[in-house]
Amino acid sequence: MEPAIRLRGLHKRFGDTVAVADLDLDIAAGEFFSMLGPSGSGKTTVLRVIAGFEQPTAGTVELFGKDVTALAPFARPVNTVFQDYALFPHLSVIANVEYGLRVAGVGRRERRAQAEEALASVRLAGLEDRRPHELSGGQRQRVALARAVVLRPQALLLDEPLGALDLKLREQMQVELKELQRSLGITFIFVTHDQDEALTLSDRVAVFDAGRVVQLGTPREVYDHPRNPFIASFVGSSTLLEPAIAEAFGLPAVATAVRPERVTLDAPAGGVRGTIAEVIYTGPEHRIVVDLEGLGTRITALEPNMGAAHERRRGDAVTVAIDPAGAAALESEAPAA
Amino acid sequence: MTATRVSTYLAPRRRLRLAGLLTAPVLWLGLVYVVALAALLITAFWTVDAFTGQVRVEWTTENIVEVLTEALYRTVTLRTLGIAALVTVLDIIVAVPVAFFMAKIARPRMRHLLVIAMLAPLWASYLVKVYAWRALLSGNGLIEWAVAPFGGETPGYGIVGVVLTLSYLWLPYVVMPIYAGFDRVPDRLLEASADLGGRGWRTLTAVVLPMIRPAIIAGSIFAFSLSLGDYITTTIVGGSTQMLGTLVYDNVGSANNLPLAAAISLIPIGIILVYLAAVRRTGALRSL
């Protein structure tokens, strides 16, 4: 099937700064696709190029088989949810949602009905006549969503839409976003620097670093098999092991990343001996840092909180083992720059 | 040490601090401004001794009645209103694109240069600028030289000259609030409008103009009220054109009739009060 969005040789420079370097990307129709990366990694620029707010320095943007590189934003079948929502302050909630329909020449009664339906779909019915400044952050977020989806875009572009919300609201909106995407059945392209959000929501994740996609895959592929040290530490947390250390654990002698939850302490089969250097209580679990004996390095393990009676103490001697299936061999060299 | 002691003494005494802060400005506003206006109002009800030319404190509504009934004052009032309105409209037409360019298109360096270019003429003397326009408009001036090859000629000294000169004089006062208004419209909103299908014209009329409307009205208050009271420009480039300002000037000076001058000057005051009351509800006064 033809991809919803196809980027070829996309390159974007701002002055001397390369924001996006020779990017090729295919995003399937109906996919929840995340672009994950630290700030300045180029993910937002890619989104803005797809929306048409930025012209690429080189390369093409195809939407549903049509080259739209030269088209203005208003001529593209995609809509955007902005990071700061960008609601029109002089218009009421309903007028904000109706804006795109009014531009498209939809009749008064019809657009009112569609806007009300869109507001109901984001659970905002009853606030039609408020002004944006009278709404909470979460409500503004929903208005921005309704304003974009009411036009039934073929793809929805979301630029860190949950960044300004507090944790509880963010988790709730994550669920709602996922449900909305499922019910609309359209492509969502989601930009975020929050790895948790990207893993939770996405069908596929592209990890950005310095203007390039350094890894592309399902959340499980990216989390379980990070390709390089940057991904291993940016997506979740990992202990990075030198080849010699990996060998000491019975793993292949290459640079390896190990997730703390795949590290076992006091395994029956034994392992590398060490001393507990730090026990960090996080509520549901303990994060335990172990000094490895004779190897001059540390490793972090995660154990569920089984109550005070089972709590480990600093200075306790332990043996450390790594589940070989949970160790990711890393590409030693950095990706070609 | 003393400064600390004063601060310690004042810190809990809120009313005293407020009094210290407000006494001088309240005196200024109260005495110099309100009293002067009140004096003007009262003078309009006095009269002039036809024989000695001295102002006589003798209560009469004669001046007010004369101003309200004489055809001359009605004509001049309408002309002044027309000129002020025309100047305001011209300034807005020029200021909106200029301010838009300054706020949204120019890079920071260019923007600073333009702000300076807009404000620099305010340092120059008003008289110098008006005389410069007198030279421009004269029969062998720059305008004549520029349009003569196309069969045109300079408008010379008259209403057109007054409108052109006043528009030039008040332009910075109109550009600056509108520039600030554009500056307050986030680029994101323009992008959002485009994203939702709005082309340039739609974005301008449905998003930008409603948002900068208070700023435009704020600018219009300056251009309108400054034009309404002007008499120097009219005298220098207006030829025989009379405006309310020149009538006031003539009555204070050559006609030596201060009470009548005061009565005439109540007209622009009345007009501007009506204008301010009309725009009060648009929020424009908050963007001044």
Side-chain angles (χ1 to χ4, degrees):
Chain A
M1 202 175 87
E2 189 165 70
I5 291 162
R6 168 179 283 162
L7 307 178
R8 283 292 174 269
L10 198 71
H11 200 80
K12 178 66 185 175
R13 260 199 321 267
F14 294 105
D16 293 337
T17 320
V18 175
V20 180
D22 296 318
L23 179 72
D24 293 321
L25 200 59
D26 286 330
I27 299 170
E31 194 173 22
F32 199 121
F33 187 88
S34 288
M35 302 200 278
L36 172 66
S39 57
S41 59
K43 56 194 193 302
T44 296
T45 305
V46 173
L47 195 81
R48 291 175 57 79
V49 168
I50 295 173
F53 303 136
E54 304 283 357
Q55 274 296 309
T57 313
T60 58
V61 181
E62 272 180 41
L63 299 180
F64 304 92
K66 187 166 165 259
D67 187 339
V68 299
T69 317
L71 292 187
F74 53 74
R76 300 188 184 199
V78 296
N79 288 113
T80 307
V81 176
F82 293 87
Q83 184 172 11
D84 51 6
Y85 319 137
L87 300 179
F88 303 123
H90 60 293
L91 297 179
S92 65
V93 165
I94 191 86
N96 262 282
V97 178
E98 282 183 13
Y99 186 86
L101 298 169
R102 213 173 77 203
V103 171
V106 177
R108 171 190 287 269
R109 194 171 303 169
E110 175 62 21
R111 72 178 187 241
R112 181 85 189 190
Q114 287 186 25
E116 276 173 356
E117 191 189 325
L119 281 173
S121 78
V122 295
R123 307 198 300 169
L124 262 191
L127 298 180
E128 285 82 356
D129 297 323
R130 299 272 187 91
R131 290 294 177 92
H133 68 89
E134 298 170 316
L135 303 178
S136 70
Q139 289 169 332
R140 279 180 221 173
Q141 167 67 73
R142 288 161 198 265
V143 177
L145 264 173
R147 186 177 70 173
V149 301
V150 76
L151 296 174
R152 308 188 188 287
Q154 291 175 282
L156 189 66
L157 313 177
L158 301 109
D159 184 9
E160 308 228 10
L162 309 183
L165 305 180
D166 62 50
L167 183 64
K168 274 278 174 279
L169 203 51
R170 201 154 66 214
E171 285 173 349
Q172 186 191 338
M173 284 305 295
Q174 286 178 8
V175 176
E176 290 187 27
L177 270 183
K178 192 76 188 164
E179 283 171 357
L180 188 67
Q181 194 248 350
R182 222 172 269 137
S183 70
L184 294 174
I186 61 174
T187 313
F188 272 36
I189 302 177
F190 188 86
V191 162
T192 180
H193 64 264
D194 183 327
Q195 47 96 16
D196 201 42
E197 219 162 77
L199 296 179
T200 315
L201 291 172
S202 318
D203 297 317
R204 280 196 307 157
V205 180
V207 184
F208 277 73
D209 182 30
R212 292 167 188 283
V213 173
V214 286
Q215 188 161 7
L216 178 65
T218 64
R220 176 171 289 282
E221 282 164 2
V222 171
Y223 184 81
D224 287 357
H225 302 288
R227 273 178 49 195
N228 66 27
F230 166 78
I231 302 161
S233 48
F234 184 73
V235 183
S237 63
S238 296
T239 304
L240 300 177
L241 303 178
E242 310 258 314
I245 314 276
E247 203 171 15
F249 280 98
L251 301 167
V254 292
T256 302
V258 188
R259 299 293 183 191
E261 65 271 19
R262 307 301 280 268
V263 175
T264 325
L265 302 183
D266 297 334
V272 177
R273 297 204 301 181
T275 314
I276 293 179
E278 207 75 68
V279 178
I280 298 153
Y281 175 75
T282 65
E285 54 214 6
H286 290 114
R287 191 168 280 274
I288 297 156
V289 182
V290 180
D291 263 327
L292 297 174
E293 204 173 293
L295 296 176
T297 186
R298 291 176 160 187
I299 194 166
T300 305
L302 214 55
E303 287 195 327
N305 178 4
M306 304 297 282
H310 296 269
E311 194 169 342
R312 296 181 185 273
R313 276 181 200 81
R314 275 179 50 168
D316 285 357
V318 287
T319 56
V320 183
I322 295 172
D323 171 9
L330 302 175
E331 290 169 5
S332 48
E333 79 278 27
Chain B
M1 284 305 283
T2 319
T4 316
R5 226 173 292 145
V6 171
S7 302
T8 316
Y9 177 77
L10 283 177
R13 292 173 174 79
R14 203 168 159 273
R15 277 164 190 283
L16 196 60
R17 275 185 294 149
L18 210 58
L21 194 66
L22 291 182
T23 305
V26 163
L27 278 179
W28 168 261
L29 255 178
L31 284 180
V32 179
Y33 208 77
V34 176
V35 170
L37 265 180
L40 179 74
L41 188 72
I42 292 168
T43 313
F45 293 94
W46 291 346
T47 185
V48 168
D49 190 314
F51 188 65
T52 61
Q54 295 289 327
V55 173
R56 254 197 358 236
V57 182
E58 182 180 305
W59 297 96
T60 171
T61 53
E62 190 182 292
N63 300 312
I64 305 289
V65 170
E66 185 181 345
V67 164
L68 287 179
T69 53
E70 281 280 341
L72 167 73
Y73 300 110
R74 204 170 315 129
T75 313
V76 175
T77 299
L78 288 178
R79 183 187 302 137
T80 307
L81 262 178
I83 289 174
L86 202 56
V87 167
T88 307
V89 169
L90 277 177
D91 271 348
I92 290 172
I93 289 173
V94 176
V96 167
V98 170
F100 180 78
F101 180 80
M102 284 165 67
K104 290 292 170 206
I105 299 175
R107 290 161 185 278
R109 209 185 130 76
M110 180 65 148
R111 181 178 313 156
H112 291 148
L113 282 174
L114 283 169
V115 169
I116 292 169
M118 271 296 149
L119 295 180
L122 299 181
W123 268 273
S125 159
Y126 175 105
L127 275 177
V128 169
K129 288 183 285 185
V130 180
Y131 272 107
W133 271 90
R134 190 181 165 85
L136 280 179
L137 292 163
S138 77
N140 47 13
L142 192 65
I143 293 177
E144 177 79 23
W145 172 80
V147 297
F150 310 102
E153 57 179 20
T154 174
Y157 307 134
I159 288 190
V160 176
V162 171
V163 169
L164 285 176
T165 308
L166 288 177
S167 303
Y168 161 79
L169 284 174
W170 314 140
L171 187 62
Y173 299 97
V174 183
V175 169
M176 291 322 286
I178 297 180
Y179 162 68
F182 274 123
D183 207 39
R184 281 196 295 265
V185 178
D187 291 345
R188 280 276 183 276
L189 293 186
L190 309 186
E191 288 178 357
S193 175
D195 188 67
L196 296 166
R199 289 155 192 272
W201 181 250
R202 165 75 68 165
T203 303
L204 183 72
T205 54
V207 178
V208 179
L209 286 183
M211 286 188 71
I212 63 158
R213 204 173 61 128
I216 293 180
I217 294 172
S220 80
I221 293 173
F222 286 122
F224 188 73
S225 60
L226 290 170
S227 301
L228 218 49
D230 184 83
Y231 72 99
I232 299 176
T233 300
T234 322
T235 310
I236 298 173
V237 298
S240 60
T241 309
Q242 280 189 312
M243 286 178 72
L244 288 172
T246 52
L247 288 185
V248 171
Y249 180 71
D250 291 344
N251 277 298
V252 173
S254 47
N256 191 25
N257 192 341
L258 189 61
L260 184 60
I264 298 170
S265 67
L266 290 178
I267 300 174
I269 292 177
I271 293 174
I272 204 69
L273 284 178
V274 169
Y275 188 67
L276 288 177
V279 301
R280 195 171 61 98
R281 299 204 295 151
T282 64
L285 302 184
R286 270 170 278 141
S287 351
L288 281 177

